[in-house]
Amino acid sequence: MSWIGHGELMEKAEILPQEVKEALDQAAELVTGNLPGFRGGFPKAYSENGFYEAGENVDWTTGFWTGEVWLAYEHTGKMELLQAGKQQMESFLQRITEKRDVETHDLGFLYSPSCVAGYKLTKSDVGHKAALMAAKELTGRFHEKGEFIQAWGPLGTRENYRLIIDCLLNLPLLYWAAEETGEERYRQVADKHIHTALSHVIREDFSTWHTFFFDWETGAPDHGATCQGYRDGSAWSRGQAWGVYGLAIGYRYTRCQEYIKAFEGVTAYFLSHLPEDLVPFWDLEFGDGDDQPRDSSAASIAACGMLEMSKYLDRAQAEYYQGIAKRLMKALTEKYAVKDPAVSNGLVLHSTYSNHSPFNTCNHYGVDECNLWGDYFYMEALTRLYKDWQMYW
Ligand code: GLY
């Protein structure tokens, strides 16, 4: 396998402003066109043979569909998108009120791009109420002993006593709740979790663990392990991308200087393991010449992280990361984005949800398909390039 050199990466073309607009126009049009197929419901987490089926408001991914609707609404102002966003927030309020499928740390993924976004855009009381209830629920997964938010499974069980890198994106819900309510507990939980997570998931070479276990009785750090990566010592591409974006968001809310260095290291590791076309394989272990599926969602997530972090860096550094993000988005818009609704009812092809290997513990689904977060973060990255965007996170 081989990866692109830094010099070659810098020679790649950046997406131009007109191309950003065209790609965003196209994505918004596809989302609007796909609305009737999901009315009253939500797409499932990933497509099958390029097409999402309609499902209910379950799983950790439905908030991304509402997020796509809000981004399309911001871009076009179309009333049908506003109506759909409002209707979906009602569904999220019902879900958290009934506590349906909310035993997970993924409440931030669910409620930030749907209800926090809807509140920020429309001042919706429904969105505000639902998001605050979700934030409260999320704090219930915090373990005082290990100072972390437990990712999956029943609380406190030995086999589930771990955090995962993805959770960095669940924390903005808590920071938002702290700002809205003035209750410091939300911020304290988020600050402690970030500190614990970043102390353990980042390895010496700035590759990252997907998950990290703590001692069930004492809360002491125990060991790293992958779930969705290829093997324990490798770097799962999307996990590394969650790290890039999670560090940028962590810096935004804490202004902790150490997170800048960690961001630089984690991002450099990601960039030095990209193949020639800049869209990573599902695990950074793989490069050109490997017969493995891609995870295009990791490119969009990392681009969002670089664009967010560039707000806090000096001009030269900011331009460097913005330039890289523009190169990743050029690659995605040209070769991965859906342009014809007959091909797919998603937005970005060639993503991977969960690829089983002989060395990991995950199930096998959504491989080389579209997925809702891949579609959402693609639109978010384009929106960030198109205008000064008030983020949903
Ligand atoms: N947060 C779950 C995933 O990235 O697959």
Side-chain angles (χ1 to χ4, degrees), residues 60 105-106 109 152 164 166 210 228 236 238 242 352-353 373:
W60 66 281
H105 71 147
D106 284 327
F109 280 124
W152 303 314
I164 71 172
D166 322 27
H210 178 199
Q228 281 159 268
W236 174 45
R238 191 159 66 255
W242 291 137
T352 290
Y353 185 168
W373 60 91

Side-chain angles (χ1 to χ4, degrees), residues 356-375:
H356 185 64
S357 87
F359 314 109
N360 72 20
T361 55
C362 69
N363 294 321
H364 195 82
Y365 40 66
V367 174
D368 198 19
E369 289 286 349
C370 303
N371 50 50
L372 288 182
W373 60 91
D375 293 349

Side-chain angles (χ1 to χ4, degrees), residues 10-273:
M10 298 310 284
E11 278 168 22
K12 295 277 182 187
E14 295 180 7
I15 193 167
L16 301 172
Q18 183 58 23
E19 293 168 331
V20 169
K21 180 179 180 313
E22 283 162 12
L24 202 46
D25 287 349
Q26 184 146 57
E29 193 180 321
L30 288 168
V31 169
T32 312
N34 290 331
L35 268 183
F38 303 119
R39 199 176 295 285
F42 291 81
K44 290 195 174 163
Y46 55 90
S47 66
E48 290 179 64
N49 299 317
F51 285 84
Y52 293 98
E53 285 179 11
E56 299 197 347
N57 192 351
V58 291
D59 214 339
W60 66 281
T61 51
T62 44
F64 296 120
W65 170 240
T66 311
E68 286 175 60
V69 168
W70 286 135
L71 289 171
Y73 170 62
E74 279 200 60
H75 190 59
T76 64
K78 283 190 178 157
M79 283 303 117
E80 65 213 274
L81 292 160
L82 176 62
Q83 289 311 328
K86 284 185 173 171
Q87 189 183 23
Q88 289 170 28
M89 285 194 296
E90 296 281 358
S91 167
F92 279 101
L93 178 59
Q94 193 180 1
R95 178 168 173 177
I96 192 70
T97 303
E98 293 172 3
K99 299 213 177 181
R100 190 159 30 86
D101 200 15
V102 294
E103 281 190 340
T104 167
H105 71 147
D106 284 327
L107 292 163
F109 280 124
L110 284 166
Y111 282 83
S112 293
S114 59
C115 293
V116 174
Y119 173 65
K120 287 182 177 174
L121 291 173
T122 71
K123 294 275 164 269
S124 158
D125 289 340
V126 171
H128 192 260
K129 182 174 177 193
L132 279 185
M133 287 172 77
K136 190 158 194 199
E137 187 76 15
L138 181 55
T139 59
R141 298 189 69 80
F142 182 72
H143 289 300
E144 296 289 349
K145 243 185 324 185
E147 300 199 327
F148 71 96
I149 295 172
Q150 183 183 315
W152 303 314
L155 278 178
T157 46
R158 184 191 296 259
E159 68 278 15
N160 288 307
Y161 211 70
R162 64 171 155 183
L163 61 79
I164 71 172
I165 193 166
D166 322 27
C167 189
L168 296 171
L169 271 285
N170 287 317
L171 304 177
L173 180 66
L174 300 180
Y175 287 116
W176 173 81
E179 281 164 16
E180 289 300 309
T181 63
E183 286 177 37
E184 272 309 295
R185 162 94 178 139
Y186 290 112
R187 186 182 306 281
Q188 284 159 4
V189 166
D191 283 352
K192 283 182 184 171
H193 179 90
I194 292 196
H195 180 73
T196 307
L198 296 179
S199 306
H200 301 298
V201 298
I202 303 175
R203 305 185 186 113
E204 237 168 66
D205 63 356
F206 289 102
S207 66
T208 53
W209 288 108
H210 178 199
T211 89
F212 198 92
F213 282 92
F214 296 80
D215 185 282
W216 178 60
E217 282 163 345
T218 65
D222 203 286
H223 68 282
T226 199
C227 174
Q228 281 159 268
Y230 177 63
R231 63 182 174 86
D232 275 345
S234 69
W236 174 45
S237 300
R238 191 159 66 255
Q240 194 79 16
W242 291 137
V244 171
Y245 199 178
L247 278 155
I249 285 179
Y251 182 76
R252 176 195 174 102
Y253 286 107
T254 65
R255 302 295 156 142
C256 179
Q257 291 301 309
E258 295 164 35
Y259 297 168
I260 295 183
K261 283 270 158 285
F263 168 85
E264 288 167 355
V266 168
T267 305
Y269 190 95
F270 181 84
L271 297 177
S272 64
H273 290 79

Side-chain angles (χ1 to χ4, degrees), residues 297-373:
S297 75
S300 295
I301 294 164
C304 290
M306 287 184 265
L307 292 172
E308 178 60 23
M309 197 59 159
S310 68
K311 294 182 193 165
Y312 316 109
L313 301 173
D314 67 36
R315 193 165 161 182
Q317 278 183 306
E319 283 176 0
Y320 169 74
Y321 287 114
Q322 284 162 359
I324 307 266
K326 287 178 188 170
R327 290 172 175 89
L328 298 192
M329 294 314 292
K330 171 94 174 165
L332 289 172
T333 53
E334 279 197 343
K335 299 215 181 92
Y336 289 76
V338 173
K339 301 195 166 74
D340 176 356
V343 170
S344 168
N345 62 356
L347 299 184
V348 192
L349 303 170
H350 307 303
S351 195
T352 290
Y353 185 168
S354 188
N355 194 15
H356 185 64
S357 87
F359 314 109
N360 72 20
T361 55
C362 69
N363 294 321
H364 195 82
Y365 40 66
V367 174
D368 198 19
E369 289 286 349
C370 303
N371 50 50
L372 288 182
W373 60 91

